């Protein structure tokens, strides 16, 4: 089986759209639909025909393009069961442990609530890619808007446990500001310092810092490193449960 082709493109202010094209199976998936015009342009550039939209969560910057794309292409709209009422034109509601056979790719659904209450992640194990929406970002994570910090922590642990070489596609380009926050917490982390330099150079060249990789995130994403004793001591939370250290870090990032 040939691997699906993946095309990521910037849209709106700092969102990314992603297309997954499986020529063998004759399917093209759009991960979320931030902006119909941008998705259509990306499809046209490649000569791909949209067959499915995979929605990670209900926020407008991930769903605003659904209705227009559906009207234009009659694609199937797949999204989280926990937010079915809040996603326009939804055809198929999914959740863990669903596995979606789409063309020749099989997409696994993981429940990753916290940013929103029904947020899901789509994982194509065979292609080594995961689409995490606004749960994990490069060196950061999404805000906890609807769920609890403990819930969000559980979602991050689940994503961090994917195979190390998994490429992670995130909803937003927040990498530079996340790296700066991370360094404020873990200034001695040399790899984190290096990633900030790399990300700044990448952004200065007008390119995307994403996708990231699970193994890199484990080394440089402070939100995934709350079990480290040095970090806990610095925060004054030596013996707190991991999710509480996470909650503290998330609060600090909100104020950063
Ligand atoms: Zn969001
Ligand atoms: Fe978003």
């Amino acid at each position: 089986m040939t691997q699906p082709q993946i095309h990521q493109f910037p849209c709106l202010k700092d969102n990314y759209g992603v297309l997954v094209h499986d020529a063998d199976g004759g399917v093209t998936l759009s991960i979320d639909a931030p902006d119909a015009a941008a998705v259509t342009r990306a499809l046209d550039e490649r000569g791909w025909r949209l067959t499915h939209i995979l929605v990670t969560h209900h926020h407008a910057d991930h769903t605003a393009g659904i209705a227009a794309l559906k009207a234009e292409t009659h694609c199937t709209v797949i999204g989280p069961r926990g937010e079915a009422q809040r996603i326009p034109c939804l055809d198929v509601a999914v959740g863990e442990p669903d596995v979606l056979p789409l063309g020749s790719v099989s997409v696994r659904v993981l429940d990753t609530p916290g940013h929103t209450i029904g947020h899901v992640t789509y994982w194509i194990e065979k292609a080594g890619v995961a689409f995490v929406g606004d749960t994990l970002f490069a060196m950061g994570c999404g805000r906890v808007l609807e769920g609890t910090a403990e819930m969000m922590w559980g979602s991050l642990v689940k994503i961090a446990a994917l195979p190390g070489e998994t490429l992670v596609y995130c909803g937003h380009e927040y990498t530079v500001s996340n790296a700066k926050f991370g360094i404020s917490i873990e200034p001695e982390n040399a790899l984190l310092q290096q990633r900030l330099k790399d990300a700044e150079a990448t952004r200065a060249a007008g390119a995307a810092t994403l996708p990231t990789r699970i193994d890199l995130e484990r080394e440089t994403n402070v939100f995934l490193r709350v079990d480290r004793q040095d970090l806990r001591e610095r925060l004054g939370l030596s013996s707190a449960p991991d999710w509480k250290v996470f909650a503290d870090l998330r609060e600090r990032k909100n104020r950063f």
Side-chain angles (χ1 to χ4, degrees), residues 69-187:
L69 288 167
K70 173 93 171 162
E72 219 171 287
T73 66
H74 308 289
C75 62
T76 301
V77 179
I78 298 171
R81 193 171 289 142
E83 299 177 2
Q85 267 65 46
R86 295 196 278 180
I87 293 168
C89 314
L90 189 71
D91 296 302
V92 186
V94 296
E96 194 169 325
D98 290 346
V99 180
L100 317 171
L102 303 174
S104 61
V105 286
S106 87
V107 180
R108 292 176 62 170
V109 184
L110 306 176
D111 289 335
T112 49
H115 176 68
T116 62
I117 204 71
H119 192 298
V120 295
T121 284
Y122 297 100
W123 177 33
I124 308 178
E125 184 177 7
K126 286 219 176 77
V129 295
F131 305 98
V132 301
D134 290 357
T135 302
L136 182 75
F137 294 123
M139 293 173 278
C141 70
R143 284 175 186 262
V144 182
L145 297 175
E146 294 178 9
T148 63
E150 194 167 9
M151 197 184 268
M152 184 71 163
W153 170 244
S155 297
L156 291 172
V157 166
K158 195 182 282 182
I159 292 170
L162 295 177
E165 67 279 8
T166 306
L167 292 176
V168 181
Y169 289 82
C170 317
H172 294 266
E173 176 65 59
Y174 293 156
T175 309
V176 168
S177 94
N178 288 339
K180 288 178 177 165
F181 172 71
I183 288 168
S184 78
I185 301 296
E186 235 190 340

Side-chain angles (χ1 to χ4, degrees), residues 36-47:
V39 175
T40 300
R41 205 178 316 121
L43 287 162
D44 290 348
E45 276 168 21
R46 311 265 141 168

